[in-house]
Amino acid sequence: MTKKSDSIINPFNGQIVGEMPVSEADDVELSIVRAQKAFQVMRKLPRFVRADILMKAAELVASRRDEFARTIAAEAGKPLYDARGEVARSIFNLKNAAQEARHAAGEEIPLDLDAGVFEYQTTDARGVSTKLADLDHNALAQMRRRVGIARRFPIGTILAIAPFNFPLNLVLHKVAPAIAAGNSVVLKPAPQTPLTSKLLQEVFRDAGLPDGALEVCHCSVPLAEGMVKDERFAMVTFTGSAKVGWHIKSIAGRKKVALELGGNGAVIVAEDADLDLAATRCVRGGMVYGGQYCIGVQRILVHVSVREAFEKKLVEKVRACRVGNPMEEGIDVGPVIDENSAKRIQGWIDEAVAQGARELVGGSRAGAVVQPTVLTDTVKGMKVEDEEIFGPVVTLNSFRTFEEAVERANDSRYGLQGGIFTNDIRRAFQAVEDWDVGGLMINDVSIYRIDNMPFGGWKESGVGREGTRYAMDEMSEIKLMVINYV
Protein backbone atom coordinates (compact mmCIF):
# COMPACT_ATOMS: atom_id res chain seq x y z
CA MET A 1 0.00 0.00 0.00
CA THR A 2 1.31 3.45 -0.91
CA LYS A 3 2.05 5.56 2.15
CA LYS A 4 0.05 8.77 2.42
CA SER A 5 1.97 12.04 2.16
CA ASP A 6 1.20 15.74 2.54
CA SER A 7 2.16 18.37 0.01
CA ILE A 8 4.06 21.14 1.79
CA ILE A 9 3.15 24.54 0.37
CA ASN A 10 5.16 27.75 -0.06
CA PRO A 11 3.00 30.35 1.72
CA PHE A 12 4.01 33.14 -0.67
CA ASN A 13 3.04 31.60 -4.01
CA GLY A 14 1.21 28.39 -3.13
CA GLN A 15 3.73 26.20 -4.96
CA ILE A 16 4.53 22.73 -3.67
CA VAL A 17 7.88 22.65 -1.89
CA GLY A 18 7.96 18.90 -1.33
CA GLU A 19 6.12 15.87 0.02
CA MET A 20 6.19 14.68 3.61
CA PRO A 21 5.10 11.16 4.61
CA VAL A 22 2.23 11.15 7.08
CA SER A 23 2.65 9.09 10.24
CA GLU A 24 -0.44 7.01 10.99
CA ALA A 25 -1.17 5.33 14.34
CA ASP A 26 1.00 2.29 13.64
CA ASP A 27 3.90 4.51 12.54
CA VAL A 28 3.65 6.57 15.71
CA GLU A 29 3.63 3.44 17.84
CA LEU A 30 6.68 2.08 16.02
CA SER A 31 8.49 5.39 16.54
CA ILE A 32 7.80 5.33 20.28
CA VAL A 33 9.02 1.75 20.59
CA ARG A 34 12.16 2.54 18.57
CA ALA A 35 12.87 5.63 20.65
CA GLN A 36 12.45 3.71 23.90
CA LYS A 37 14.87 1.07 22.70
CA ALA A 38 17.32 3.77 21.57
CA PHE A 39 17.21 5.38 25.01
CA GLN A 40 18.73 2.25 26.51
CA VAL A 41 21.69 2.84 24.19
CA MET A 42 21.82 6.62 24.60
CA ARG A 43 21.85 6.57 28.40
CA LYS A 44 25.02 4.45 28.42
CA LEU A 45 26.97 6.36 25.78
CA PRO A 46 30.09 8.13 27.06
CA ARG A 47 30.03 11.91 27.00
CA PHE A 48 32.55 12.10 24.20
CA VAL A 49 30.40 9.95 21.91
CA ARG A 50 27.35 12.17 22.37
CA ALA A 51 29.53 15.26 21.94
CA ASP A 52 31.15 13.91 18.78
CA ILE A 53 27.73 13.13 17.26
CA LEU A 54 26.55 16.67 17.93
CA MET A 55 29.74 18.18 16.55
CA LYS A 56 29.56 16.03 13.42
CA ALA A 57 25.92 17.10 12.99
CA ALA A 58 27.05 20.74 13.16
CA GLU A 59 29.62 20.09 10.45
CA LEU A 60 27.04 18.37 8.25
CA VAL A 61 24.52 21.19 8.63
CA ALA A 62 27.29 23.64 7.71
CA SER A 63 28.14 21.60 4.62
CA ARG A 64 24.45 21.71 3.58
CA ARG A 65 23.92 25.29 4.67
CA ASP A 66 22.32 26.50 1.45
CA GLU A 67 20.00 23.49 1.22
CA PHE A 68 18.74 24.08 4.75
CA ALA A 69 18.31 27.83 4.21
CA ARG A 70 16.35 27.38 1.00
CA THR A 71 14.15 24.70 2.52
CA ILE A 72 13.37 26.97 5.48
CA ALA A 73 12.69 29.92 3.17
CA ALA A 74 10.43 27.87 0.92
CA GLU A 75 8.28 26.04 3.47
CA ALA A 76 8.21 28.70 6.20
CA GLY A 77 8.14 31.77 3.94
CA LYS A 78 11.17 33.17 5.75
CA PRO A 79 13.33 35.67 3.82
CA LEU A 80 16.64 34.16 2.76
CA TYR A 81 18.70 36.52 4.94
CA ASP A 82 16.84 35.34 8.04
CA ALA A 83 16.82 31.70 6.92
CA ARG A 84 20.60 31.84 6.64
CA GLY A 85 20.74 33.44 10.06
CA GLU A 86 18.68 30.58 11.46
CA VAL A 87 21.09 28.05 9.99
CA ALA A 88 24.04 29.90 11.52
CA ARG A 89 22.34 29.88 14.92
CA SER A 90 21.59 26.18 14.53
CA ILE A 91 25.22 25.34 13.85
CA PHE A 92 26.22 27.23 16.99
CA ASN A 93 23.43 25.50 18.89
CA LEU A 94 24.80 22.08 17.93
CA LYS A 95 28.39 23.03 18.76
CA ASN A 96 27.34 24.43 22.11
CA ALA A 97 25.41 21.25 22.88
CA ALA A 98 28.53 19.23 22.05
CA GLN A 99 30.53 21.34 24.49
CA GLU A 100 27.91 21.03 27.21
CA ALA A 101 27.74 17.26 26.69
CA ARG A 102 31.45 17.04 27.53
CA HIS A 103 31.27 19.34 30.54
CA ALA A 104 28.00 18.27 32.12
CA ALA A 105 28.79 16.99 35.59
CA GLY A 106 27.40 16.68 39.09
CA GLU A 107 28.69 18.17 42.30
CA GLU A 108 29.76 17.29 45.79
CA ILE A 109 27.16 18.03 48.44
CA PRO A 110 28.99 18.91 51.71
CA LEU A 111 27.52 17.01 54.64
CA ASP A 112 29.70 18.37 57.48
CA LEU A 113 28.43 21.93 57.62
CA ASP A 114 26.82 21.92 61.06
CA ALA A 115 28.26 20.57 64.31
CA GLY A 116 24.92 19.80 65.93
CA VAL A 117 23.64 17.81 62.98
CA PHE A 118 27.02 16.06 62.60
CA GLU A 119 26.97 15.02 66.24
CA TYR A 120 23.35 13.83 65.99
CA GLN A 121 24.02 11.73 62.84
CA THR A 122 27.31 10.17 63.99
CA THR A 123 27.72 7.01 66.08
CA ASP A 124 30.45 4.44 66.45
CA ALA A 125 30.15 0.83 65.27
CA ARG A 126 28.32 -0.09 68.48
CA GLY A 127 25.75 2.66 67.98
CA VAL A 128 27.15 4.88 70.74
CA SER A 129 26.64 8.58 70.01
CA THR A 130 29.53 10.97 69.80
CA LYS A 131 30.09 14.01 72.02
CA LEU A 132 32.05 16.48 69.93
CA ALA A 133 32.93 18.53 72.99
CA ASP A 134 34.97 15.58 74.31
CA LEU A 135 37.14 15.33 71.18
CA ASP A 136 40.29 17.19 70.20
CA HIS A 137 41.24 18.16 66.65
CA ASN A 138 43.11 14.94 65.99
CA ALA A 139 40.16 12.86 67.10
CA LEU A 140 37.80 14.90 64.95
CA ALA A 141 40.07 14.40 61.95
CA GLN A 142 39.91 10.62 62.42
CA MET A 143 36.13 10.43 62.69
CA ARG A 144 33.95 8.55 60.28
CA ARG A 145 32.47 11.01 57.84
CA ARG A 146 30.29 11.17 54.74
CA VAL A 147 30.46 12.73 51.30
CA GLY A 148 27.47 13.35 49.05
CA ILE A 149 27.77 13.14 45.27
CA ALA A 150 24.89 14.49 43.17
CA ARG A 151 24.85 13.36 39.54
CA ARG A 152 22.42 14.08 36.73
CA PHE A 153 21.02 11.24 34.65
CA PRO A 154 18.91 11.32 31.46
CA ILE A 155 15.20 10.83 32.09
CA GLY A 156 14.07 8.81 29.07
CA THR A 157 12.25 9.39 25.82
CA ILE A 158 11.22 12.99 25.22
CA LEU A 159 8.34 14.19 23.06
CA ALA A 160 9.29 17.42 21.29
CA ILE A 161 6.56 19.47 19.59
CA ALA A 162 7.98 22.30 17.51
CA PRO A 163 6.56 25.45 15.83
CA PHE A 164 6.76 26.59 12.21
CA ASN A 165 8.64 29.87 12.66
CA PHE A 166 12.08 28.33 13.35
CA PRO A 167 11.80 24.87 11.81
CA LEU A 168 15.48 24.14 12.36
CA ASN A 169 16.72 26.11 15.34
CA LEU A 170 13.72 25.76 17.64
CA VAL A 171 13.70 22.05 16.86
CA LEU A 172 17.36 21.95 17.89
CA HIS A 173 16.58 23.78 21.12
CA LYS A 174 14.81 20.57 22.06
CA VAL A 175 16.71 17.86 20.21
CA ALA A 176 20.31 18.98 20.85
CA PRO A 177 20.14 19.20 24.67
CA ALA A 178 18.13 15.98 24.80
CA ILE A 179 20.90 14.16 22.94
CA ALA A 180 23.62 15.92 24.95
CA ALA A 181 22.01 14.67 28.16
CA GLY A 182 21.62 11.10 26.84
CA ASN A 183 17.90 10.97 26.01
CA SER A 184 16.03 9.88 22.89
CA VAL A 185 13.47 12.07 21.11
CA VAL A 186 10.25 11.69 19.18
CA LEU A 187 9.81 14.93 17.25
CA LYS A 188 6.44 16.20 16.05
CA PRO A 189 7.30 19.11 13.71
CA ALA A 190 4.86 21.86 12.79
CA PRO A 191 2.51 20.69 10.01
CA GLN A 192 3.60 23.56 7.76
CA THR A 193 7.36 22.94 8.05
CA PRO A 194 8.23 19.25 8.40
CA LEU A 195 10.72 19.08 5.53
CA THR A 196 13.44 20.82 7.54
CA SER A 197 12.99 18.24 10.32
CA LYS A 198 13.30 15.49 7.75
CA LEU A 199 16.63 16.95 6.60
CA LEU A 200 17.80 17.23 10.20
CA GLN A 201 16.97 13.59 10.85
CA GLU A 202 19.15 12.67 7.85
CA VAL A 203 21.99 14.75 9.27
CA PHE A 204 21.85 13.03 12.66
CA ARG A 205 21.73 9.62 11.00
CA ASP A 206 24.86 10.49 9.01
CA ALA A 207 26.48 11.89 12.18
CA GLY A 208 26.19 8.47 13.84
CA LEU A 209 23.21 8.95 16.13
CA PRO A 210 21.91 5.51 17.21
CA ASP A 211 18.88 4.22 15.30
CA GLY A 212 15.65 5.43 16.85
CA ALA A 213 17.23 8.15 18.97
CA LEU A 214 15.53 10.79 16.81
CA GLU A 215 12.16 9.80 15.38
CA VAL A 216 10.10 12.27 13.31
CA CYS A 217 6.31 11.94 13.30
CA HIS A 218 4.41 14.22 10.92
CA CYS A 219 1.01 13.29 12.26
CA SER A 220 -2.50 14.50 13.03
CA VAL A 221 -3.45 16.48 16.14
CA PRO A 222 -5.32 13.51 17.72
CA LEU A 223 -2.24 11.30 17.36
CA ALA A 224 -0.06 14.07 18.80
CA GLU A 225 -2.43 14.41 21.75
CA GLY A 226 -2.20 10.67 22.24
CA MET A 227 1.57 10.98 22.53
CA VAL A 228 1.24 13.82 25.03
CA LYS A 229 -0.87 11.52 27.23
CA ASP A 230 1.37 8.47 26.70
CA GLU A 231 3.17 7.60 29.94
CA ARG A 232 6.08 6.08 28.03
CA PHE A 233 7.32 9.61 27.49
CA ALA A 234 9.28 11.08 30.38
CA MET A 235 8.77 14.65 29.22
CA VAL A 236 7.00 16.77 26.65
CA THR A 237 8.63 20.00 25.49
CA PHE A 238 6.46 22.33 23.43
CA THR A 239 6.91 25.67 21.70
CA GLY A 240 3.83 27.38 20.31
CA SER A 241 0.71 29.24 21.29
CA ALA A 242 -0.35 29.71 24.91
CA LYS A 243 -3.74 28.12 24.25
CA VAL A 244 -2.24 24.90 22.91
CA GLY A 245 0.60 24.84 25.44
CA TRP A 246 -1.61 25.03 28.52
CA HIS A 247 -3.90 22.41 27.01
CA ILE A 248 -0.89 20.13 26.62
CA LYS A 249 0.03 20.67 30.27
CA SER A 250 -3.52 19.80 31.33
CA ILE A 251 -3.45 16.39 29.60
CA ALA A 252 0.22 15.43 30.04
CA GLY A 253 -0.27 13.50 33.26
CA ARG A 254 2.72 12.98 35.55
CA LYS A 255 5.46 13.60 33.02
CA LYS A 256 7.65 16.67 32.97
CA VAL A 257 6.40 19.55 30.82
CA ALA A 258 8.36 22.50 29.42
CA LEU A 259 6.38 25.20 27.62
CA GLU A 260 7.78 28.06 25.54
CA LEU A 261 4.66 30.02 24.68
CA GLY A 262 3.50 33.38 23.44
CA GLY A 263 4.35 36.97 24.18
CA ASN A 264 3.50 40.51 23.18
CA GLY A 265 6.92 42.02 23.69
CA ALA A 266 7.13 45.60 24.90
CA VAL A 267 10.00 48.04 24.35
CA ILE A 268 10.50 51.23 26.35
CA VAL A 269 12.31 54.13 24.67
CA ALA A 270 13.43 56.61 27.33
CA GLU A 271 14.17 60.29 26.74
CA ASP A 272 17.95 59.66 26.85
CA ALA A 273 17.84 56.83 24.28
CA ASP A 274 19.74 56.67 21.00
CA LEU A 275 16.65 57.17 18.82
CA ASP A 276 18.24 55.96 15.59
CA LEU A 277 19.36 52.73 17.22
CA ALA A 278 16.01 52.28 18.96
CA ALA A 279 13.99 52.84 15.80
CA THR A 280 16.20 50.55 13.72
CA ARG A 281 16.05 47.74 16.24
CA CYS A 282 12.29 48.15 16.81
CA VAL A 283 11.66 47.77 13.09
CA ARG A 284 13.92 44.75 12.94
CA GLY A 285 12.30 43.28 16.04
CA GLY A 286 8.73 43.92 14.92
CA MET A 287 8.80 43.29 11.19
CA VAL A 288 11.43 40.60 10.57
CA TYR A 289 9.88 37.41 9.18
CA GLY A 290 6.48 39.05 9.20
CA GLY A 291 6.58 39.54 12.97
CA GLN A 292 6.27 35.79 13.57
CA TYR A 293 8.48 35.70 16.66
CA CYS A 294 7.20 34.96 20.15
CA ILE A 295 9.71 37.53 21.41
CA GLY A 296 9.04 40.00 18.60
CA VAL A 297 8.43 43.68 19.30
CA GLN A 298 4.69 44.39 19.51
CA ARG A 299 4.24 47.32 21.90
CA ILE A 300 6.53 50.38 21.80
CA LEU A 301 6.35 52.95 24.60
CA VAL A 302 8.29 56.18 23.99
CA HIS A 303 8.81 59.16 26.28
CA VAL A 304 6.58 62.06 25.35
CA SER A 305 9.54 64.44 24.96
CA VAL A 306 11.02 62.40 22.09
CA ARG A 307 7.80 60.92 20.71
CA GLU A 308 7.61 63.07 17.59
CA ALA A 309 11.24 62.50 16.59
CA PHE A 310 11.08 58.79 17.28
CA GLU A 311 7.79 58.32 15.43
CA LYS A 312 9.23 59.98 12.32
CA LYS A 313 12.29 57.72 12.33
CA LEU A 314 10.21 54.60 13.01
CA VAL A 315 7.71 55.25 10.21
CA GLU A 316 10.48 56.04 7.73
CA LYS A 317 12.25 52.79 8.51
CA VAL A 318 9.03 50.77 8.31
CA ARG A 319 8.25 52.28 4.90
CA ALA A 320 11.74 51.28 3.76
CA CYS A 321 11.15 47.57 4.48
CA ARG A 322 11.30 45.53 1.29
CA VAL A 323 8.25 43.31 1.06
CA GLY A 324 7.87 40.38 -1.32
CA ASN A 325 8.99 36.91 -2.31
CA PRO A 326 11.11 35.41 0.50
CA MET A 327 13.11 33.42 -2.05
CA GLU A 328 14.47 36.66 -3.56
CA GLU A 329 17.61 38.28 -2.19
CA GLY A 330 17.17 41.50 -0.24
CA ILE A 331 13.61 40.93 0.96
CA ASP A 332 12.95 42.01 4.55
CA VAL A 333 9.33 40.92 4.99
CA GLY A 334 7.69 37.97 3.26
CA PRO A 335 4.36 36.31 3.90
CA VAL A 336 2.98 35.12 7.18
CA ILE A 337 2.56 31.37 7.36
CA ASP A 338 -0.79 31.22 5.51
CA GLU A 339 -3.62 33.41 4.22
CA ASN A 340 -5.91 32.61 7.15
CA SER A 341 -3.29 34.03 9.51
CA ALA A 342 -3.00 37.12 7.33
CA LYS A 343 -6.78 37.58 7.41
CA ARG A 344 -6.76 37.32 11.20
CA ILE A 345 -4.01 39.93 11.49
CA GLN A 346 -5.85 42.24 9.11
CA GLY A 347 -9.00 41.74 11.15
CA TRP A 348 -7.21 42.75 14.36
CA ILE A 349 -5.86 45.89 12.67
CA ASP A 350 -9.30 46.87 11.36
CA GLU A 351 -10.90 46.17 14.72
CA ALA A 352 -8.36 48.38 16.53
CA VAL A 353 -8.97 51.23 14.07
CA ALA A 354 -12.70 50.87 14.55
CA GLN A 355 -12.10 51.16 18.32
CA GLY A 356 -10.11 54.40 17.97
CA ALA A 357 -6.57 53.46 16.95
CA ARG A 358 -4.84 55.24 14.05
CA GLU A 359 -2.68 53.75 11.29
CA LEU A 360 0.61 55.55 10.86
CA VAL A 361 1.76 53.23 8.07
CA GLY A 362 0.62 49.98 6.50
CA GLY A 363 -2.64 48.29 7.42
CA SER A 364 -3.30 46.31 4.25
CA ARG A 365 -2.60 42.82 2.96
CA ALA A 366 -2.43 40.86 -0.29
CA GLY A 367 -2.85 37.11 0.07
CA ALA A 368 -0.62 35.96 2.90
CA VAL A 369 1.50 39.14 2.82
CA VAL A 370 0.64 41.75 5.45
CA GLN A 371 2.18 45.16 4.94
CA PRO A 372 4.36 46.30 7.86
CA THR A 373 2.04 48.31 10.08
CA VAL A 374 2.36 50.85 12.89
CA LEU A 375 -0.71 51.69 14.99
CA THR A 376 -1.03 54.40 17.60
CA ASP A 377 -3.61 55.45 20.18
CA THR A 378 -4.11 51.80 21.11
CA VAL A 379 -5.37 50.93 24.57
CA LYS A 380 -5.79 47.93 26.81
CA GLY A 381 -8.74 45.85 25.65
CA MET A 382 -7.70 45.90 21.99
CA LYS A 383 -6.40 42.59 20.66
CA VAL A 384 -3.33 44.32 19.23
CA GLU A 385 -2.43 45.35 22.80
CA ASP A 386 -3.56 42.35 24.82
CA GLU A 387 -2.89 39.34 22.62
CA GLU A 388 0.04 38.02 20.60
CA ILE A 389 -0.53 39.31 17.08
CA PHE A 390 2.26 37.23 15.48
CA GLY A 391 2.36 39.53 12.49
CA PRO A 392 4.27 42.61 11.22
CA VAL A 393 2.34 45.03 13.41
CA VAL A 394 3.57 47.26 16.25
CA THR A 395 1.77 49.75 18.44
CA LEU A 396 3.30 53.10 19.41
CA ASN A 397 2.25 55.09 22.47
CA SER A 398 3.73 57.72 24.80
CA PHE A 399 4.58 57.80 28.51
CA ARG A 400 5.56 60.57 30.92
CA THR A 401 7.38 58.72 33.72
CA PHE A 402 9.59 55.67 33.56
CA GLU A 403 7.57 54.00 36.32
CA GLU A 404 4.43 54.46 34.24
CA ALA A 405 6.15 52.85 31.24
CA VAL A 406 7.30 49.80 33.21
CA GLU A 407 3.86 49.40 34.74
CA ARG A 408 2.20 49.48 31.31
CA ALA A 409 4.78 47.14 29.78
CA ASN A 410 4.22 44.70 32.63
CA ASP A 411 0.41 44.96 32.40
CA SER A 412 0.11 41.82 30.28
CA ARG A 413 -0.73 38.19 30.86
CA TYR A 414 2.49 37.40 28.99
CA GLY A 415 6.04 37.76 30.28
CA LEU A 416 8.58 36.44 27.79
CA GLN A 417 11.10 39.19 26.98
CA GLY A 418 11.22 42.97 26.92
CA GLY A 419 13.56 45.78 25.93
CA ILE A 420 14.59 49.20 27.25
CA PHE A 421 16.58 51.90 25.50
CA THR A 422 18.25 54.10 28.13
CA ASN A 423 21.71 55.14 29.30
CA ASP A 424 20.63 55.17 32.95
CA ILE A 425 21.76 51.87 34.47
CA ARG A 426 19.63 52.53 37.56
CA ARG A 427 16.53 52.28 35.41
CA ALA A 428 17.68 48.93 34.07
CA PHE A 429 17.97 47.46 37.57
CA GLN A 430 14.72 49.08 38.65
CA ALA A 431 12.91 47.57 35.67
CA VAL A 432 14.24 44.04 36.08
CA GLU A 433 12.86 44.02 39.64
CA ASP A 434 9.40 45.28 38.66
CA TRP A 435 8.86 43.84 35.18
CA ASP A 436 8.03 40.13 35.21
CA VAL A 437 9.71 38.83 32.08
CA GLY A 438 12.11 35.97 31.48
CA GLY A 439 14.64 38.22 29.76
CA LEU A 440 15.19 41.99 29.71
CA MET A 441 17.38 43.53 27.01
CA ILE A 442 18.96 46.92 27.76
CA ASN A 443 19.61 49.11 24.70
CA ASP A 444 18.12 46.40 22.53
CA VAL A 445 14.74 44.92 21.73
CA SER A 446 12.89 41.88 23.01
CA ILE A 447 13.81 39.83 19.95
CA TYR A 448 17.47 39.51 20.97
CA ARG A 449 18.44 35.94 21.74
CA ILE A 450 21.69 34.02 21.71
CA ASP A 451 21.12 30.30 21.89
CA ASN A 452 23.09 29.55 25.06
CA MET A 453 21.06 32.08 27.08
CA PRO A 454 18.48 30.86 29.58
CA PHE A 455 15.23 31.44 27.71
CA GLY A 456 11.68 31.18 28.94
CA GLY A 457 8.76 33.14 30.25
CA TRP A 458 6.85 34.25 33.29
CA LYS A 459 3.07 34.28 33.67
CA GLU A 460 1.25 32.74 30.69
CA SER A 461 4.41 32.70 28.58
CA GLY A 462 5.33 29.25 29.83
CA VAL A 463 7.27 27.12 32.30
CA GLY A 464 10.82 25.82 32.18
CA ARG A 465 13.87 27.19 30.42
CA GLU A 466 15.66 26.54 27.14
CA GLY A 467 19.25 27.31 26.25
CA THR A 468 21.39 24.19 26.07
CA ARG A 469 22.64 23.86 29.65
CA TYR A 470 19.31 24.94 31.13
CA ALA A 471 17.36 22.58 28.89
CA MET A 472 19.70 19.74 29.86
CA ASP A 473 18.77 20.37 33.48
CA GLU A 474 15.08 20.12 32.50
CA MET A 475 15.80 16.88 30.64
CA SER A 476 17.66 15.14 33.45
CA GLU A 477 17.13 14.26 37.09
CA ILE A 478 19.46 14.17 40.09
CA LYS A 479 20.54 11.00 41.85
CA LEU A 480 22.38 11.45 45.12
CA MET A 481 24.92 8.98 46.44
CA VAL A 482 26.20 9.34 50.04
CA ILE A 483 29.37 7.46 50.98
CA ASN A 484 30.22 6.85 54.62
CA TYR A 485 33.98 6.54 54.94
CA VAL A 486 36.74 6.67 57.55
Side-chain angles (χ1 to χ4, degrees), residues 47 50-59 87-104 169 172-181 204 449-455 466-473:
R47 288 179 174 85
R50 286 179 266 132
D52 288 348
I53 289 168
L54 288 159
M55 186 59 72
K56 180 61 175 178
E59 294 168 357
V87 176
R89 288 179 61 186
S90 299
I91 294 167
F92 165 72
N93 213 342
L94 285 161
K95 289 180 178 178
N96 188 56
Q99 183 178 26
E100 293 293 348
R102 294 185 193 278
H103 294 162
N169 199 40
L172 282 172
H173 268 293
K174 303 176 184 308
V175 172
I179 291 170
F204 271 112
R449 181 182 183 186
I450 302 298
D451 298 284
N452 60 332
M453 289 166 41
F455 179 81
E466 290 189 344
T468 310
R469 179 165 63 85
Y470 306 93
M472 288 173 70
D473 285 348

Side-chain angles (χ1 to χ4, degrees), residues 137-454:
H137 288 163
N138 288 330
L140 284 169
Q142 297 300 316
M143 286 190 66
R144 186 183 302 275
R145 60 189 65 188
R146 294 171 175 83
V147 61
I149 301 171
R151 294 174 58 192
R152 284 195 168 272
F153 290 84
I155 57 174
T157 300
I158 293 172
L159 173 61
I161 305 177
F164 69 80
N165 56 334
F166 282 83
L168 181 60
N169 199 40
L170 288 189
V171 165
L172 282 172
H173 268 293
K174 303 176 184 308
V175 172
I179 291 170
N183 298 293
S184 61
V185 183
V186 176
L187 168 65
K188 196 275 182 197
Q192 306 95 330
T193 56
L195 299 178
T196 304
S197 291
K198 188 178 176 182
L199 283 179
L200 183 64
Q201 187 181 34
E202 292 176 10
V203 160
F204 271 112
R205 178 200 64 203
D206 294 344
L209 189 68
D211 289 344
L214 174 59
E215 293 286 309
V216 177
C217 291
H218 172 64
C219 64
S220 66
V221 170
L223 286 176
E225 284 200 348
M227 285 195 285
V228 170
K229 296 175 183 177
D230 196 316
E231 290 300 325
R232 289 175 291 181
F233 287 103
M235 177 180 181
V236 56
T237 171
F238 169 83
T239 299
S241 73
K243 179 180 178 181
V244 175
W246 293 114
H247 171 66
I248 284 173
K249 191 172 188 300
S250 74
I251 65 173
R254 296 172 296 175
K255 63 178 65 63
K256 278 188 160 187
V257 176
L259 303 176
E260 299 297 337
L261 306 179
N264 59 353
V267 173
I268 297 171
V269 182
E271 63 271 28
D272 63 341
D274 181 332
L275 298 187
D276 286 315
L277 173 64
T280 297
R281 292 298 290 162
C282 281
V283 173
R284 173 71 183 165
M287 305 304 167
V288 62
Y289 185 38
Q292 296 173 119
Y293 279 65
C294 57
I295 50 175
V297 175
Q298 184 169 325
R299 299 173 294 145
I300 304 172
L301 304 171
V302 58
H303 192 269
V304 64
S305 66
V306 294
R307 163 66 186 268
E308 185 177 350
F310 179 82
E311 179 180 310
K312 182 180 178 181
K313 293 176 185 292
L314 181 75
V315 170
E316 285 178 353
K317 293 178 186 298
V318 170
R319 290 189 191 279
C321 288
R322 293 157 291 184
V323 182
N325 186 346
M327 302 302 291
E328 294 179 5
E329 299 289 351
I331 294 298
D332 299 307
V333 180
V336 294
I337 195 60
D338 54 42
E339 189 167 359
N340 284 337
S341 296
K343 289 178 179 177
R344 176 190 58 77
I345 296 164
Q346 177 73 66
W348 286 16
I349 294 170
D350 294 344
E351 181 182 281
V353 171
Q355 293 172 341
R358 291 187 294 117
E359 293 175 358
L360 297 178
V361 62
S364 62
R365 76 167 182 89
V369 178
V370 178
Q371 287 296 315
T373 300
V374 180
L375 299 173
T376 190
D377 298 335
T378 54
V379 296
K380 191 171 178 61
M382 295 179 179
K383 290 189 179 73
V384 295
E385 280 284 314
D386 295 355
E387 304 297 333
E388 180 182 39
I389 196 163
F390 225 62
V393 181
V394 298
T395 68
L396 177 65
N397 290 286
S398 303
F399 68 88
R400 294 189 177 276
T401 69
F402 187 73
E403 291 76 15
E404 170 197 340
V406 172
E407 182 178 357
R408 180 164 180 177
N410 195 36
D411 187 14
S412 170
R413 61 193 181 95
Y414 297 112
L416 200 46
Q417 293 201 158
I420 300 175
F421 286 88
T422 182
N423 289 314
D424 188 341
I425 194 65
R426 294 169 299 180
R427 286 175 165 174
F429 281 98
Q430 175 189 343
V432 80
E433 291 183 4
D434 297 336
W435 189 353
D436 294 331
V437 286
L440 187 57
M441 310 300 129
I442 308 303
N443 288 320
D444 212 335
V445 291
S446 54
I447 204 170
Y448 183 81
R449 181 182 183 186
I450 302 298
D451 298 284
N452 60 332
M453 289 166 41

